[in-house]
Amino acid sequence: MSKRSSLVVLITGCLLLCSGLVKAQQKQLTYCNPINIDYGYTPIPDFATEGKHRATADPVITMYKGDYYLFSTNQWGYWWSHDMYHWNFVSRHFLRPEHHVYDDLCAPAVWVQGDTLMVFGSTYSANFPIWMSTNPKANEWKEAIHEFEPGGWDPDFFRDDDGKLYMYNGSSNSYPVYGAEVDPKTFHLKGYRKEMYLLQPYRYGWQRFGEYLDDTFLDPFIEGSWMTKHNNKYYLQYGAPGTEFSGYADGVVVGDNPLGPFTPQSMPFSYKPGGFARGAGHGSTYTDTWGNYWHISTMVIGVKNSFERRLGIWPAGFDKDDVLYCNTAFGDYPTYLPDGKADHLQSRFTGWMLLNYNKSVTVSSTLGGYTANNAVDENIKTYWSAATANAGEWIQTDLGNESTVNAVQINYADQDATILGKSTTTYTQYRLYYSSDAKMWHLMADKSQNKTDVPHDYVELNKPVKARYIKLENVHMPTGKFAISGLRVFGNGGGSKPDTVKGFIVLRTEKDKRSAWIKWQTVDNAFAYNIYTGTAPDKLYNCIMVHTANEYYFKAMDNKMPYYFQIEAINENGVSQRTKVIRVD
């Protein structure tokens, strides 16, 4: 080999090595809820009378052959991922021609049986198949059974360590969830279904129906069964009281046998009634590559239709007393992805604070009453819309002072969308800029050539930047107007953390011990507060984020238990010290 050839090989090798290093440095470390997947649009015309919109719910994640598989309602397919961040969509219809329904895998059951991935969708009929695959990445499926005659809405199948198979199902505001043993070869029930659990809203306040837990309009629903086994105990999880509400949550009952009897945990373990995107009900609990528990569940938007929803993922686990918990504190802020064995009682929140809550916004145009500040009000239900979807429409947020920016989440809204069902050809394109003076702009992220659908795109910067202004410029929308429900900038404002909250009290009376009035003194340099609560002083596993208020009506308690509370204040620069834990009988 000549000296020149050797030099070329050496330079080429160095370039490849450097390229590999750059890619390694660019590995995604964090994510932000709602998760950013290419959600399909509702396929049901009657659900789209107030506007076509994206929608899914009732998610299941299952590990299979080293990858994560995600199935959810009416997506005309499913996703797989190797890292729990980059999700690859596989297009497939699971309905047969004789199934004259819109619900293609509504609230699906997914489980692993031997070396096979199994799937079954909700039905009240007796002619839906159970599907099976040993190569789901390649979309290779066949029927395990042509007709699963028992049917069942919101089903879950649980394969126990001894090889026995159990089914749970039910979605009703009159009846309980049911369970039965199933023959794993014939898929016939081995006996009658048994009652597992019926809601007790007269005791557990969080189970009451309605946005304000006042049982207005309907009785509460129980639905979305999921079974997890831990330390020889069986944790039957369920969603309640209604998917439309901020307080939609997953409760759990615990027993020594897969068919009960069960004892309820007083509070829902998956609970997120506050923050930007609310709700954490009807989901599933799974383990990652390292054996850590996570929980995925449904988040509500409910603007175009009550069933306009998204998905969120949170760290979960079991404490030393085998209590199942889910850590939703800062549950829609940047959170570290799994990277090894971890204690999920320790927060995976990055510490990157929201920098532009209710800050000044300027825009290229505005459609009607969809005003600019809707994009920074920390409410996914409200949004700004430009007058058009034209390239060049833009929105600009002022952080108030030069700050350190680590990440930006871009939450698109559906305004004048034209799609029903799943589209695999749509895509979103934009450019994201930053500036210190709103005159000289620097490119932060260029997605102008992107060919994927990113309705909740999340840009994690390899290196943080200093900026006061962030500008999002539209290049291409998949459908509808250029509309944003949340342009959320994360990092640190560089100032002082908020002061510790003073005057924190919880007023609970004998009239209805499910409810309390929580009050505190406003902290001048805070824009939000986290209230932590639980039924033991060392188990404050439930968190409620409250913005620009100094009171909260908490109506989720078990009327037979004492409760414990703490509060902390939040601003652009960090989090205050928590107050001392107080007990309320």
Side-chain angles (χ1 to χ4, degrees):
M1 183 181 293
S2 68
K3 291 183 179 179
R4 178 176 295 180
S5 298
S6 299
L7 182 61
V8 169
V9 171
L10 179 62
I11 292 173
T12 302
C14 288
L15 288 173
L16 289 171
L17 177 61
C18 292
S19 174
L21 287 173
V22 169
K23 288 181 180 179
Q25 292 167 353
Q26 292 176 344
K27 179 184 177 182
Q28 189 79 22
L29 301 178
T30 64
Y31 73 99
C32 192
N33 288 319
I35 63 171
N36 180 40
I37 55 176
D38 50 333
Y39 299 90
Y41 295 77
T42 179
I44 305 173
D46 286 349
F47 284 9
T49 56
E50 295 184 36
K52 296 180 175 66
H53 59 275
R54 300 176 189 271
T56 195
D58 322 317
V60 175
I61 288 181
T62 298
M63 281 286 289
Y64 179 68
K65 294 185 177 180
D67 291 304
Y68 305 92
Y69 282 83
L70 167 57
F71 292 77
S72 64
T73 289
N74 289 343
Q75 294 303 286
W76 298 358
Y78 53 94
W79 295 266
W80 67 268
S81 172
H82 193 66
D83 59 6
M84 230 171 76
Y85 182 81
H86 298 94
W87 292 96
N88 306 281
F89 186 72
V90 179
S91 179
R92 180 179 183 83
H93 286 284
F94 288 89
L95 293 177
R96 296 198 304 261
E98 68 267 27
H99 298 145
H100 301 295
V101 295
Y102 286 113
D103 287 314
D104 192 330
L105 278 193
C106 181
V110 184
W111 73 102
V112 177
Q113 189 164 314
D115 66 347
T116 306
L117 189 66
M118 317 289 290
V119 174
F120 177 69
S122 292
T123 180
Y124 289 116
S125 70
N127 66 344
F128 270 38
I130 294 176
W131 295 93
M132 59 187 292
S133 175
T134 56
N135 192 9
K137 278 186 184 178
N139 198 13
E140 296 175 0
W141 295 86
K142 61 182 181 180
E143 294 179 355
I145 185 172
H146 184 64
E147 295 180 343
F148 181 65
E149 293 183 3
W153 204 264
D154 283 10
D156 173 50
F157 285 80
F158 166 69
R159 179 83 171 204
D160 205 349
D161 302 333
D162 59 7
K164 292 183 178 180
L165 182 65
Y166 299 89
M167 179 190 182
Y168 307 90
N169 71 280
S171 176
S172 173
N173 65 344
S174 300
Y175 299 102
V177 291
Y178 296 92
E181 187 178 352
V182 179
D183 188 304
K185 294 181 179 179
T186 65
F187 297 103
H188 295 155
L189 295 189
K190 300 180 73 173
Y192 293 106
R193 286 177 166 135
K194 295 174 56 179
E195 294 184 2
M196 298 288 100
Y197 180 65
L198 181 65
L199 292 179
Q200 300 168 274
Y202 53 85
R203 175 173 174 178
Y204 303 109
W206 73 271
Q207 294 181 357
R208 289 177 284 184
F209 191 80
E211 181 66 21
Y212 304 104
L213 301 178
D214 51 14
D215 279 336
T216 299
F217 183 57
L218 288 173
D219 290 329
F221 284 77
I222 184 170
E223 54 197 7
S225 300
W226 183 263
M227 176 62 82
T228 301
K229 186 178 183 180
H230 174 76
N231 281 352
N232 292 318
K233 294 182 180 179
Y234 297 86
Y235 294 76
L236 179 59
Q237 299 142 60
Y238 61 93
T243 191
E244 308 94 328
F245 307 123
S246 301
Y248 193 43
D250 279 336
V252 60
V253 292
V254 186
D256 296 321
N257 185 288
L259 295 178
F262 296 104
T263 301
Q265 285 185 192
S266 291
M267 287 294 289
F269 79 95
S270 177
Y271 184 58
K272 191 184 179 301
F276 169 67
R278 303 177 178 187
H282 194 147
S284 63
T285 302
Y286 64 97
T287 54
D288 63 25
T289 304
W290 297 274
N292 306 303
Y293 283 98
W294 295 79
H295 190 72
I296 182 171
S297 50
T298 306
M299 309 182 85
V300 64
I301 297 178
V303 173
K304 297 290 193 295
N305 182 268
S306 295
F307 301 110
E308 181 183 9
R309 297 163 292 179
R310 298 292 189 268
L311 307 181
I313 297 175
W314 296 277
F318 297 87
D319 72 9
K320 59 183 176 57
D321 299 313
D322 289 339
V323 173
L324 176 59
Y325 67 86
C326 180
N327 194 338
T328 63
F330 292 102
D332 49 32
Y333 278 43
T335 301
Y336 285 112
L337 287 161
D339 58 0
K341 192 66 179 175
D343 177 6
H344 283 172
L345 286 174
Q346 305 299 314
S347 176
R348 296 193 66 80
F349 168 45
T350 59
W352 302 342
M353 309 309 298
L354 183 69
L355 300 177
N356 62 328
Y357 173 65
N358 271 349
K359 298 289 181 70
S360 176
V361 179
T362 53
V363 295
S364 54
S365 66
T366 297
L367 176 70
Y370 300 104
T371 55
N373 271 77
N374 288 343
V376 294
D377 67 355
E378 279 299 274
N379 184 353
I380 199 171
K381 291 175 176 287
T382 64
Y383 59 89
W384 162 76
S385 177
T388 74
N390 295 342
E393 294 274 20
W394 55 266
I395 179 171
Q396 175 183 312
T397 179
D398 181 353
L399 308 183
N401 58 275
E402 191 169 67
S403 304
T404 301
V405 176
N406 293 84
V408 178
Q409 187 191 38
I410 303 164
N411 298 275
Y412 288 88
D414 295 316
Q415 179 60 40
D416 297 328
T418 60
I419 300 172
L420 274 177
K422 179 71 178 182
S423 171
T424 57
T425 60
T426 54
Y427 57 93
T428 314
Q429 296 177 337
Y430 65 85
R431 295 184 185 92
L432 190 64
Y433 299 93
Y434 69 98
S435 174
S436 293
D437 58 8
K439 296 177 181 178
M440 182 175 292
W441 292 95
H442 307 279
L443 192 62
M444 177 182 287
D446 187 353
K447 297 285 185 82
S448 60
Q449 302 302 312
N450 176 58
K451 291 297 183 181
T452 58
D453 197 5
V454 287
H456 297 276
D457 208 11
Y458 173 66
V459 178
E460 174 194 305
L461 303 181
N462 294 327
K463 295 181 180 179
V465 299
K466 291 287 188 179
R468 175 171 174 174
Y469 301 92
I470 303 295
K471 184 177 183 179
L472 174 66
E473 180 186 67
N474 182 51
V475 175
H476 176 82
M477 286 292 291
T479 182
K481 305 286 195 301
F482 180 47
I484 302 294
S485 64
L487 177 58
R488 309 174 73 217
V489 184
F490 296 98
N492 194 281
S496 300
K497 295 180 180 180
D499 301 325
T500 303
V501 176
K502 296 179 180 179
F504 181 57
I505 59 172
V506 181
L507 304 174
R508 186 186 193 189
T509 71
E510 293 293 331
K511 180 179 180 181
D512 185 352
K513 297 190 76 170
R514 298 171 298 175
S515 303
W517 186 11
I518 304 174
K519 296 171 66 68
W520 61 93
Q521 292 180 20
T522 300
V523 176
D524 291 339
N525 60 343
F527 64 71
Y529 305 87
N530 274 338
I531 302 168
Y532 295 89
T533 185
T535 55
D538 61 342
K539 301 181 190 300
L540 305 185
Y541 297 153
N542 296 116
C543 179
I544 308 158
M545 181 178 277
V546 180
H547 287 84
T548 56
N550 67 340
E551 64 179 1
Y552 185 79
Y553 292 93
F554 181 57
K555 303 175 68 176
M557 290 186 286
D558 176 349
N559 64 16
K560 296 186 183 301
M561 295 290 290
Y563 273 75
Y564 298 82
F565 295 87
Q566 274 184 311
I567 192 171
E568 64 189 10
I570 301 164
N571 69 10
E572 300 89 342
N573 312 309
V575 184
S576 75
Q577 289 186 346
R578 293 191 195 181
T579 58
K580 292 182 179 179
V581 176
I582 60 174
R583 171 177 170 144
V584 180
D585 291 317

